[in-house]
Amino acid sequence: MDTKNFNNLETIELSSPASFYLDSDRFDQELQCVWFRNWIFAAHISDLPEIGDFLVSRIGDQEIIIVRTESGIRGYFNTCRHRGSALCAESVGHFHSGSIRCPYHHWTYSLEGELVQIPRLDETVSFSSSSYPLYSVATQVWEGCIFFNLAVEPLESLPAGVQPTASILRNWNVASLSVAHRFETTLDCNWKIIWENFLECYHCPGVHRELSSLVPIYQRTFMEPKDERDWDKRDDRSDPRFSGGMSEGNFSWTIDGQLHGERFPDLTEEEFDAGYVYAQHLPSMFIVGHPDYVRLVWFRPLSPTKTVFSCYWLLSQASLEKADLDLASIVDFGLKVIEEDARVCELNQRGLSSLPHLQGLLVPQEYDVLNFQKWVESQVQVGAVNVNRNSR
Ligand code: FES
Ligand SMILES: [Fe+2]
């Protein structure tokens, strides 16, 4: 019996209906069934170095405060138990005096979320403040990456959702790195468009000229050797056009293909030679280990047609202390690829509104787009997750 041993599809498949990228009911459904169920990336641990440091992460119309406390990293809905005012007006900052004070009537909470002060409440009024803590949100940290989960009872642990494995970037020691450069923009496209673009290289030769010359297999519209039929029977498997990896004389995803940060000391020869090692966590982030830096990309859906896109470039202390560090060579290369992808993502979204376009097609190289669409659909079919802290 013939067992298929390559990734690509053997037939043309239907893509998701165009309405899935446009319709606000569908968007709400995906928030409730996908984004509120799964662990969502919020920050790198170095974003919150001090106790009291916070940031606010937003998905749809939900805002989540992530704060460093004495007990670790805590998460709360950005809402006051009095009359529901947002507690944090800013998206990043520091809670002074070890407390979170509502800007409206000054109800005050400890960093652990307990209601500790209600100004000028008549002493004769009976009230149990311990029954009104902030609405807490589960948080977990993987490799220095802080995630939150809005479900009352998160279904799986964070590492279980990392693909291909939670240990694949272990030798990069991501938790010990610092953010050397941040980029954030709002793209005019649905969040799924960004994933679908990321999950295929059919667009690479036409859209990413420089990247495809650094990574020759991309010129052939393939992401990895096993995409092709008979990949194991080639006698030229060491050629990077077939094996994947970097082209001759290039080592990292930088403007000139050379290392600009210090090589991460714990990488194996294989990890170094690969030039790029990917991990992803649906639906909010992917992370790439290069020999001298780490790139972390994440998304937050705001509406059916708007998604916040962020990228961090993480470097080791040794790299940051290099007198001749050429950070621009690292960052500018990534920004170019981001611009190229952003352009086609927004074009894709624009075209989906055309009245006759009801549903697109997937070619064999787009097997992982199909996997992704099936994953989203399976989550939607399971239904909304319970996020109601008041239900008993
Ligand atoms: S709404 Fe927060 S103190 Fe009144
Ligand atoms: Fe791309």
Side-chain angles (χ1 to χ4, degrees), residues 260-331:
H260 288 280
E262 291 288 330
R263 171 182 173 159
F264 291 109
D266 296 338
L267 299 189
T268 63
E269 284 308 308
E270 196 184 347
E271 287 167 338
F272 178 83
D273 290 344
Y276 52 93
V277 174
Y278 277 92
Q280 67 186 40
H281 191 286
L282 293 174
S284 68
M285 69 92 84
F286 67 84
I287 180 167
V288 194
H290 297 291
D292 55 341
Y293 73 98
V294 167
R295 197 159 36 93
L296 200 161
V297 176
W298 78 102
F299 329 118
R300 286 89 78 206
L302 296 183
S303 77
T305 57
K306 287 213 181 295
T307 307
V308 180
F309 174 104
S310 299
C311 184
Y312 278 4
W313 285 260
L314 296 158
L315 271 72
S316 67
Q317 205 51 42
S319 293
L320 292 170
E321 285 167 4
K322 260 180 82 164
D324 59 345
L325 173 66
D326 179 8
L327 188 59
S329 182
I330 292 174
V331 172

Side-chain angles (χ1 to χ4, degrees), residues 79-87 101-109 115 117-119:
T79 186
C80 176
R81 296 302 303 265
H82 174 214
R83 275 170 45 211
S85 168
L87 297 162
R101 190 172 74 166
C102 178
Y104 198 174
H105 313 93
H106 292 192
W107 281 32
T108 303
Y109 306 84
L115 174 56
Q117 198 190 358
I118 303 177

Side-chain angles (χ1 to χ4, degrees), residues 76-97:
Y76 306 108
F77 283 89
N78 187 16
T79 186
C80 176
R81 296 302 303 265
H82 174 214
R83 275 170 45 211
S85 168
L87 297 162
C88 299
E90 308 298 328
S91 58
V92 58
H94 181 84
F95 293 124
H96 295 282
S97 320

Side-chain angles (χ1 to χ4, degrees), residues 108-177:
T108 303
Y109 306 84
S110 72
L111 295 185
E112 303 299 335
E114 305 136 323
L115 174 56
V116 291
Q117 198 190 358
I118 303 177
R120 298 200 172 85
L121 183 66
D122 186 325
E123 285 166 12
T124 62
V125 172
S126 159
F127 179 72
S128 165
S129 53
S130 63
S131 301
Y132 291 86
L134 295 179
Y135 295 113
S136 72
V137 170
T139 59
Q140 280 191 14
V141 181
W142 165 75
E143 297 282 9
C145 298
I146 302 169
F147 287 68
F148 63 86
N149 191 311
L150 296 194
V152 174
E153 291 179 36
L155 292 176
E156 67 171 14
S157 77
L158 164 60
V162 181
Q163 299 168 309
T165 67
S167 61
I168 192 164
L169 291 175
R170 178 178 295 152
N171 291 341
W172 275 262
N173 297 309
V174 178
S176 71
L177 308 181

